[in-house]
Amino acid sequence: MSVWSRFSRSSQNCTCISYTEQTAPKEGGNEKGKDEDDTSVSTPPAVWSLGEGAPEESEKRDDSQRSTLFVEKPQSGTVSVGGNITFIAKVEAKDLLRKPNVKWFKGKWMDLASKAGKHLQLKESFERHTKIHTFEMQIIKAKENYAGNYRCEVSYKDKFDSCSFDLEVTESSQAAPSIDIRSAFKRSGEGQEDAGELDFSGLLKRREVKQQEEEPEVDVWDLLKNANPSEYEKIAFQYGITDLRGMLKRLKRMRREVKKSAAFAKGLDPAYQVDKGGKVRFMVELADPTVELKWYKNGQEIRPSAKYIFEHKGNQRILFINNCTMADDARYYVTAGDEKCSTELFVRDPPILVTKGLEDTSTYVGERVELSCEVSEDDANVKWFRNGVELTNDPKSRYRIKVEGKKHTLVIEEAAKNDTATYSVMTTGGQSEAKLAVDLRPLKISLALEDQTVRLGQEIHLKCEISENVEGKWYKNGQLIEASDRVKLYHKGRIHRFVIPVSAVDDEGEYMFVPDAYNINIPCKVHVVDPPKLHLDGLGENNTVTVVAGNKLRLEIPITGEPPPKVFWSRGDKMVTDSGRIRAETYPDSSCLVIDAAEREDSGAFRITLKNEAGEDTALINIKVVDVPDPPQAPNVTEVGEDWCIMTWEPPANDGGSPILGYFIERKKKQSSRWMRLNFELCKETTFEPKKMIEGVAYEVRVFAVNAIGMSKPSMPSKSFVPLAVTSPPTLLAVDSVTDTSVTMKWRPPDQIGAAGLDGYVVEYCFEGTDEWIVANPELTDKTKFTINGLPTGSKILVRVKAVNAAGESEPKYHPQPILVKEVIEPPKIRLPRHLKQTYTRRVGETVNLVIPFQGKPRAKVSWEKNGSPIDKNDINIRNTEHDTIIFIRKAERGHSGEYNMKVEVENLVDKATIDIQIVDRPGPPEVVTIEDVWGENVNLSWKPPKDDGNAAITGYTIQKADKKSMEWFTVIEHYHRTSATINELVIGNEYYFRVFAENMCGLSEDATMTKESALIAKDGKVYKYPVYDDFDFSERPLFTQPLVNTFAVAGYNATLNCSVRGNPKPKITWMKNKVVIMNDPRYRMFSNQGVCTLEIRKPSPYDGGTYSCRAVNELGEAEVDCKLEVRGGLSFFKLLMDGVPPHIIDSYMREVQADKTEGK
């Protein structure tokens, strides 16, 4: 069998298939078109070696874009089978604000975070003193399939670092039994490169297993090429392919034209395959035998050793790899000068064999069933089938698959009749099947149904128990009963119950339970009776009926019962007859109690009794005769304010038989006879607060009681009272400062101060957990700030403040939280104003007054330095307070310019700030103004900038001229920026002097520099000599003035990349994707206009993402810029699903695409 499989050592139970994998071709290869069918499998190349596989593109990051974060990288290691090994990576956190993100991978794409368990543990720690993050990956009880290439990635914002390392797992050394070595010596692998090696397979213990017929060679690639994509996973398992995605990806990338090499007369084959433990031979033939040759494995150079043997035969260079393990499954390449040749090596694991098959089993319904088999490897990938249908270990499934080393077990907790079937197990090297028969047990009735007689409305509960746990059906009078909201059917184990919570007359009949699959029934009878009943739903609480005194009462009570019951009314021991003022009237479905002209004495309990042969029913009915209440007692005034008072009263002794609904309140002045109603809505409480009274005037109040019948007579008036108000509580009580023995509080005056004014404040405190309030100031204080002294350090106190006037003390104002008597350290923080974060500029002579606030307690210490030296306080005034510092310069001088450093210290905590102060002045005059040339009516002047620029940049010059005769100066040019100028339109025959002023942000220099000689404008013509200028050299090597920027694109919508370049001669522009030149591809359009270069990508897909570069070249040099493009969206879940890809494989593919994107960042 031709096996092109690459086993994934870290995921034996997961087979992932990639249908749409597209990658950039290798160097010298041709890029495939986008319109190629993503689900098709390409035909392998014509030349293959045994087990050849597709080469995989090395995806490495550009080291120039990688920031080094590792201070210690994990190193490759070797461990024996069953041993433990730990890989350590360390990252320095000195420049990091938070913990970096670290990921461990096996191979290129497998994130090990999801594999953590008993064999793999990931740990991390942080050393605060050295500020080093330590990340550990520990492999416990290593197995052979753990060998391979691993990678550790660390990232933080835009920084990234990565490190690869190898793990080699060796066989445990064990004492070999005594054997005949000569009988084992035979040649293996005849016709192969490893011919002549010892083969010890003949020494293994023979197993008496049925020899399977040798199957003909099967080309798995042809099978995959001709199969439907939905069958890929089945073929992969059947032929032992556990990394089908990797195989398809690597084989597909080999579809390229082989570029003829000048260094290699004969290169490596595209791929090689070898069995685990075997030997493989790589051979190349050089065109020039003197060229130095180097071999590499996954990018790391191979050195000669006992495992790797190099051999030279003429122009042939041969590499032997002995005792191949799964760690040798990798990409190899050889370099000769600047050229290289690569190949892929696939190491094949032996097939998994079934060493102990399944056995036929018979059982009964409800029993626990276990079907077990044993295979040749621990934790092997095994599939179970029921009648040819695969079984999965789904939590919702009735079937549970258990794996214990080499033993695999299918468990059915409670077998059912339909579990009878043929069950089979399949591995990559064999299969076994067995039959399961599930039968019914003989049924016995442990508890039969019983006949029941129930009252109407009571619960009907039928229960039976049988010997087997089977379902069944209930019948009533031969009709099937279904479960509903009214009828409840229960089945638990062998017990079946039938429940009707509320019975009805129609529920009477014959009931029967019939177990499923059994020809047996369990019958019973149910009889429902209806005793007499009073229906008192229309009555009030406690069956109370209320009637107003003087009205007639006719109370009708509905009754039921079969046969119709007899009715008896009574009051105490006296029966109520059918005549008189109080009488009873009886009808077929009701009974009436009649009272004419009700009186208060008629209130009381009346009993009604029903009787018939099914039973009796009785009830007490309370008749309540109500009237208006009695008047309340005189109210009491308990508290008086500025224009209000609080009054209370007691409810009336007799409420008239009806609850008091509320009260009306009236008031009047003592000297007046006119009462005024204070509330128009009933007052529900026995407390009321009259308002809007006149301070100093005597008042009286009274109360009316109101019930449902009406309003009582008024109460007696209260005692007279005079309103007088205290102030409102103080406001904004807060802690001002705290020391170890004192607390300073501050507050604001009350919002409302009465006519009596404000005499002062009382401050009180109590310790937390006690109710004893201590007066802090025996005498009133008129200030709104007070310090409580003599407090024990570490205690917590509660504080309140009261305002006091002639009316008394106000309500206290409480501090909301307990106050800890301990000085709190507040870290220093300088609040540097925004305008001081830039250079602070002032002119000479101006005042500098800077206020810099800060915070920090206790006793913040402020210090200043200028240019690293202490400030001379005689020259610069510094004033510090608890909350700010002021730097004051009355008349600034240029010597005051410099860098001022401010430092605030609170114990061991420090905060610093820097202020740049620049004192500027007018500049000095320019140096040496010279007349360079005179021609016609023109004079050319030149000068040098002033030595003193006034501590500010020179912004320009002002040029003046004066006639020699008058020496009267006129301005010719202002705000001129150059140091040479030409003066035009001068008068012929005159002689001129010139002077120049320098100018900065403060203005013109005080003095000007004048020319030493004068310029005579001659009357005769003068030939002007034109100066000779050399031609300007416009040649320039390419330079990108606007680089490419990283961007995102939406799949299916055109995307553009733009940059701008300059250079002379005009540079040639070349676009590349992943360092491969883009040529003759209809999906890309390239433009260049006035130095602006544009690359348009038509309808990109996720596979168009990558690194794009733009290179500009001319004869003076070259320049290159690049960016990353990420395409979001693209090949969707729906498109793959419509192409027949199974959903779980699509999900695996989507996660892998996302992982590749994360890996590329």
Side-chain angles (χ1 to χ4, degrees), residues 932-1068:
E932 296 293 340
D933 196 3
V934 179
W935 74 97
E937 301 175 357
N938 310 303
V939 174
N940 182 259
L941 303 176
S942 66
W943 59 91
K944 294 183 179 179
K947 290 184 178 180
D948 183 10
D949 60 359
N951 205 21
I954 299 298
T955 59
Y957 300 92
T958 298
I959 306 168
Q960 294 181 345
K961 68 179 179 178
D963 190 291
K964 185 177 181 181
K965 296 177 182 179
S966 63
M967 289 306 292
E968 194 173 337
W969 293 98
F970 298 93
T971 299
V972 179
I973 303 176
E974 291 183 310
H975 312 303
Y976 190 74
H977 298 286
R978 299 182 181 178
T979 57
S980 63
T982 300
I983 312 302
N984 302 320
E985 298 180 358
L986 298 175
V987 179
I988 296 176
N990 289 357
E991 192 171 357
Y992 293 91
Y993 284 97
F994 300 91
R995 68 180 181 183
V996 181
F997 293 87
E999 183 180 7
N1000 65 4
M1001 61 182 295
C1002 294
L1004 296 176
S1005 59
E1006 294 182 359
D1007 301 323
T1009 303
M1010 191 176 70
T1011 58
K1012 294 182 179 180
E1013 299 87 8
S1014 62
L1016 177 62
I1017 308 303
K1019 295 181 180 180
D1020 297 333
K1022 184 178 181 181
V1023 178
Y1024 174 73
K1025 294 182 180 180
Y1026 290 93
V1028 178
Y1029 298 99
D1030 295 333
D1031 293 337
F1032 184 83
D1033 185 10
F1034 290 92
S1035 299
E1036 182 183 14
R1037 63 179 296 164
L1039 175 65
F1040 283 92
T1041 59
Q1042 176 63 40
L1044 294 171
V1045 295
N1046 296 339
T1047 186
F1048 298 91
V1050 179
Y1053 294 85
N1054 291 355
T1056 58
L1057 303 177
N1058 299 283
C1059 61
S1060 61
V1061 65
R1062 73 184 186 195
N1064 190 27
K1066 184 178 180 181
K1068 179 182 178 182

Side-chain angles (χ1 to χ4, degrees), residues 798-1031:
L798 299 173
V799 180
R800 68 183 183 185
V801 179
K802 300 178 183 177
V804 181
N805 68 358
E809 295 181 347
S810 70
E811 289 292 326
K813 176 63 177 180
Y814 291 89
H815 189 268
Q817 296 176 349
I819 304 170
L820 177 64
V821 184
K822 185 176 181 182
E823 199 160 22
V824 178
I825 297 178
E826 182 179 1
K829 179 66 176 178
I830 300 174
R831 303 295 183 182
L832 193 64
R834 181 176 299 176
H835 70 281
L836 296 181
K837 294 182 180 179
Q838 301 176 351
T839 302
Y840 183 77
T841 305
R842 281 292 180 270
R843 297 186 180 184
V844 172
E846 291 183 346
T847 300
V848 176
N849 188 14
L850 302 180
V851 180
I852 299 97
F854 62 86
Q855 65 185 32
K857 291 182 180 180
R859 297 174 295 280
K861 181 181 178 182
V862 182
S863 60
W864 284 90
E865 290 183 353
K866 176 187 174 185
N867 297 328
S869 302
I871 292 178
D872 184 4
K873 295 185 178 180
N874 296 326
D875 187 25
I876 301 174
N877 294 323
I878 302 293
R879 184 179 66 82
N880 299 326
T881 67
E882 294 182 358
H883 305 291
D884 57 31
T885 180
I886 300 175
I887 180 169
F888 179 76
I889 304 174
R890 187 175 300 278
K891 289 185 178 181
E893 299 177 1
R894 289 175 59 180
H896 293 146
S897 300
E899 185 180 87
Y900 289 76
N901 299 315
M902 174 185 175
K903 181 168 66 175
V904 179
E905 297 179 87
V906 175
E907 295 188 357
N908 296 328
L909 304 176
V910 179
D911 193 16
K912 298 180 180 180
T914 301
I915 303 174
D916 289 331
I917 299 179
Q918 181 180 8
I919 308 301
V920 298
D921 197 1
R922 292 194 293 177
E927 294 186 31
V928 189
V929 178
T930 306
I931 298 176
E932 296 293 340
D933 196 3
V934 179
W935 74 97
E937 301 175 357
N938 310 303
V939 174
N940 182 259
L941 303 176
S942 66
W943 59 91
K944 294 183 179 179
K947 290 184 178 180
D948 183 10
D949 60 359
N951 205 21
I954 299 298
T955 59
Y957 300 92
T958 298
I959 306 168
Q960 294 181 345
K961 68 179 179 178
D963 190 291
K964 185 177 181 181
K965 296 177 182 179
S966 63
M967 289 306 292
E968 194 173 337
W969 293 98
F970 298 93
T971 299
V972 179
I973 303 176
E974 291 183 310
H975 312 303
Y976 190 74
H977 298 286
R978 299 182 181 178
T979 57
S980 63
T982 300
I983 312 302
N984 302 320
E985 298 180 358
L986 298 175
V987 179
I988 296 176
N990 289 357
E991 192 171 357
Y992 293 91
Y993 284 97
F994 300 91
R995 68 180 181 183
V996 181
F997 293 87
E999 183 180 7
N1000 65 4
M1001 61 182 295
C1002 294
L1004 296 176
S1005 59
E1006 294 182 359
D1007 301 323
T1009 303
M1010 191 176 70
T1011 58
K1012 294 182 179 180
E1013 299 87 8
S1014 62
L1016 177 62
I1017 308 303
K1019 295 181 180 180
D1020 297 333
K1022 184 178 181 181
V1023 178
Y1024 174 73
K1025 294 182 180 180
Y1026 290 93
V1028 178
Y1029 298 99
D1030 295 333
D1031 293 337

Side-chain angles (χ1 to χ4, degrees), residues 270 745 781 791 803 1013 1125:
M745 306 297 297
T781 177
L791 299 174
E1013 299 87 8
L1125 173 66

